[in-house]
Amino acid sequence: MSWLVPLSDIQFGAEEKEAVLRVLDSGWLTMGSITEAFEEEFKAYTGAKHAFAVSNATVALHMACQALNLGPGDEVIVPSLTFVATANAVRYTGATPVFADILGENDLTISLESIQRRYTPRTKAIIVMHYAGYACDMPAILKWAYEKGLPVIEDAAHAVGSSLQGRHLGTWGISGCFSFFSNKNLATGEGGMLVTDDDHMAAKFRLLRSHGMTSLTWDRYQGHAWSYDVVDLGYNYRIDELRSAIGREQLKKLDANNARRKELTTYYKQLINEQVPAVKIPFEAHTGISAYHIMPVLLPKGIDRIRFMEGMKREGIQTSVHYPPIHLFTSFRSLPHGEQGLELTEEIAAREVTLPLYPLLTNGQVELVVHALSLAFNSNR
Ligand SMILES: *Cc1c(COP(=O)(O)O)cnc(C)c1O
């Protein structure tokens, strides 16, 4: 299917291509000086003390859970309105994800009150997710979590370039997990970054990323080490130099790209409020700086979403849904606490539609999307 306006698009220039070619010419393909430079630049950009480039955000989330020694019998409170990776990371450790509700129509992030209702003596951690790059209420969540002695992991897959009160998202909790998947704001294909300010966590992350080995191939190549010990159960969650090279170039373009996403979001809001005011746009009152990863809208109750999305498709506009709630998936239904009290998540997720958003989108294309939206909406009423 060739879309008039696709949901997302990537933007690579000569810079990324040349950077990849330089890596190929260098003859060193994995975890070397380019990855180190990418990590340094990412630290400088986010203000994090430590940063570990990894294969993707899913493994970053797994490492973050593993470093907290989570296991069978432990519970981790997570949102249900997120990508399944947020909850899978918990399950990899043997711990149980316990789903919390969202705040409401205007804020699709996790509700502290719902977290508090899910709290039990078995709760060992919380994972929050900054939906579309809009910050969760980190000051309130961290204050309560601190009182309970609970670490908070941030799924910051949408939030590269997002901040709240001047502090980059992903650096508020014990660790933050970023995704560089192809459709994310900073894209390397597969790829991710795990950040922390905690030296103890950082030491564990270094081991978890590479088989629990005390020295890496790169160290030995540089003449820093002759052999190694294996001191913990680790994984191969490394990134390679090709992706790190792309990531460094994408990081340079990130602020400009996010600024364009912001302009487009503002334009969408203006046109939708004028032409189809019954369609609501969440995060109207958001106070932080968002990365504007996606453009979610909420249909009024009683509109058939499938028919609406088919109407958009007829006009050549690709739309999507963020997200089908995790607790309703077959593989999650049988978990304890699966289906209690997630009324807002279920009700609002069923009305959510994601519109195209990417830096190369033109204002004219936004007008096309909103025109299609009003056609699809009016033929569905
Ligand atoms: C994309 C995404 C992930 C997973 O990222 P990968 O890099 O593809 O593993 C996790 N959480 C959220 C919210 C995401 O959007």
Side-chain angles (χ1 to χ4, degrees):
M1 168 104 203
S2 104
W3 300 96
L4 190 60
V5 186
L7 186 70
S8 77
D9 196 8
I10 43 176
Q11 185 185 13
F12 292 138
E15 301 81 7
E16 285 83 357
K17 289 177 193 160
E18 281 159 20
V20 168
L21 289 177
R22 277 197 299 276
V23 172
L24 291 177
D25 289 339
S26 78
W28 190 271
L29 292 186
T30 197
M31 288 278 295
S33 64
I34 305 295
T35 298
E36 279 176 1
F38 186 29
E39 291 171 342
E40 287 305 315
E41 288 155 8
F42 202 81
K43 282 193 269 181
Y45 184 78
T46 57
K49 185 169 179 194
H50 305 279
F52 297 87
V54 291
S55 322
N56 54 64
T58 306
V59 303
L61 286 160
H62 180 207
M63 288 164 71
C65 289
Q66 194 72 38
L68 295 174
N69 297 315
L70 298 174
D74 296 337
E75 295 176 356
V76 180
I77 301 172
V78 303
S80 178
L81 192 69
T82 177
F83 183 55
V84 65
T86 318
N88 276 347
V90 174
R91 290 179 77 186
Y92 300 151
T93 68
T96 304
V98 175
F99 296 103
D101 213 348
I102 56 172
L103 281 163
E105 282 208 333
N106 288 317
D107 191 329
L108 308 184
T109 66
I110 196 165
S111 144
L112 174 57
E113 200 214 308
S114 179
I115 293 174
Q116 290 165 338
R117 275 189 272 121
R118 291 288 182 271
Y119 176 77
T120 76
R122 290 177 301 280
T123 307
K124 292 290 150 46
I126 300 167
I127 308 182
V128 301
M129 195 280 276
H130 303 296
Y131 187 106
Y134 300 93
C136 301
D137 187 357
M138 293 311 286
I141 292 170
L142 284 184
K143 181 167 178 287
W144 181 79
Y146 185 79
E147 283 163 16
K148 296 288 179 193
L150 294 175
V152 177
I153 297 168
E154 295 173 77
D155 181 335
H158 296 185
V160 67
S162 290
S163 61
L164 182 68
Q165 298 172 8
R167 189 161 160 192
H168 203 287
L169 301 189
T171 68
W172 285 76
I174 182 90
S175 54
C177 308
F178 294 88
S179 174
F180 307 143
F181 182 64
S182 317
N183 63 12
K184 298 293 174 14
N185 291 36
L186 189 166
T188 63
E190 298 284 353
M193 193 74 79
L194 176 56
V195 303
T196 185
D197 285 353
D198 183 309
D199 297 340
H200 186 64
M201 293 290 277
K204 291 190 177 187
F205 292 159
R206 186 164 285 110
L207 292 171
L208 285 170
R209 179 172 58 178
S210 210
H211 293 295
M213 290 160 67
T214 52
S215 82
L216 304 182
T217 317
W218 176 240
D219 301 318
R220 294 192 294 280
Y221 179 76
Q222 289 188 307
H224 294 158
W226 297 112
S227 185
Y228 57 85
D229 190 11
V230 172
V231 294
D232 199 354
L233 175 64
Y235 305 88
N236 174 2
Y237 283 172
R238 296 181 300 259
I239 198 168
D240 57 61
E241 295 282 274
L242 299 157
R243 288 176 175 80
S244 292
I246 297 172
R248 292 180 70 193
E249 298 307 323
Q250 287 270 293
L251 184 58
K252 290 180 201 160
K253 301 175 179 181
L254 182 68
D255 283 344
N257 282 341
N258 284 356
R260 179 63 187 149
R261 287 174 182 273
K262 179 180 182 173
E263 276 175 12
L264 290 161
T265 300
T266 307
Y267 195 42
Y268 262 127
K269 283 182 188 168
Q270 184 202 321
L271 295 184
I272 293 171
N273 287 338
E274 281 167 16
Q275 296 175 30
V276 209
V279 171
K280 295 293 172 215
I281 302 165
F283 300 107
E284 207 88 65
H286 185 72
T287 53
I289 294 175
S290 177
Y292 300 97
H293 172 54
I294 53 174
M295 181 69 217
V297 298
L298 302 178
L299 301 177
K301 283 177 203 166
I303 297 276
D304 182 334
R305 178 168 63 180
I306 303 281
R307 274 186 57 202
F308 173 85
M309 292 173 76
E310 274 166 3
M312 296 293 280
K313 182 178 167 186
R314 273 196 298 278
E315 297 297 314
I317 313 295
Q318 188 185 12
T319 57
S320 171
V321 169
H322 288 84
Y323 288 91
I326 300 177
H327 70 283
L328 300 177
F329 287 139
T330 304
S331 169
F332 285 81
R333 274 175 187 272
S334 58
L335 293 180
H337 323 286
E339 284 178 65
Q340 307 163 11
L342 294 164
E343 291 85 9
L344 289 171
T345 296
E346 290 181 13
E347 196 268 308
I348 293 169
R351 292 161 43 209
E352 195 275 343
V353 175
T354 305
L355 304 180
L357 182 64
Y358 47 91
L360 288 179
L361 195 68
T362 64
N363 285 21
Q365 285 175 310
V366 172
E367 289 155 19
L368 283 179
V369 174
V370 177
H371 180 66
L373 187 146
S374 72
L375 287 179
F377 179 75
N378 288 319
S379 69
N380 260 285
R381 267 196 304 192

